[in-house]
């Protein structure tokens, strides 16, 4: 065992914030094992203290800025 963390899979709409239940965009992998999921708000609120405690933070909040694909006129029918 090298001590390296295994890669994490992307968060989905089914992943929910452990504080409020909103969609999760931040995963905190804890140094002692386990993980916490947070919405963007709670990720910002707790991110620095989790990093200071040795957690690895996977932040996907940039997905909030993505523009969803729009339907073409043929698809709208």
């Amino acid at each position: 065992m090298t001590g390296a963390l295994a890669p994490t899979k992307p968060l989905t709409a089914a992943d929910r914030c452990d504080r409020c239940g909103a969609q999760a965009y931040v995963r905190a992998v804890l140094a002692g094992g386990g993980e916490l999921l947070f919405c963007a708000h709670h990720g910002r609120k707790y991110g620095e203290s989790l990093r200071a405690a040795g957690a690895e933070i996977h932040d996907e909040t940039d997905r909030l800025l993505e523009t969803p694909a729009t339907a073409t006129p043929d698809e709208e029918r």
Side-chain angles (χ1 to χ4, degrees):
M1 183 170 216
T2 65
L5 293 172
T8 57
K9 59 185 176 187
L11 294 167
T12 69
D15 293 310
R16 310 314 286 180
C17 177
D18 289 327
R19 291 294 296 165
C20 69
Q23 184 173 347
Y25 289 95
V26 177
R27 173 184 280 121
V29 180
L30 305 176
E35 67 181 23
L36 296 170
L37 302 178
F38 295 109
C39 64
H41 165 77
H42 286 112
R44 283 188 302 274
K45 183 173 181 178
Y46 299 115
E48 287 307 313
S49 60
L50 286 165
R51 270 190 196 90
E56 182 176 333
I57 307 296
H58 300 271
D59 187 340
E60 297 180 16
T61 56
D62 58 327
R63 291 179 31 222
L64 291 167
L65 302 175
E66 293 175 358
T67 304
T70 57
T72 64
D74 290 337
E75 295 172 326
E76 291 177 349
R77 293 182 221 184

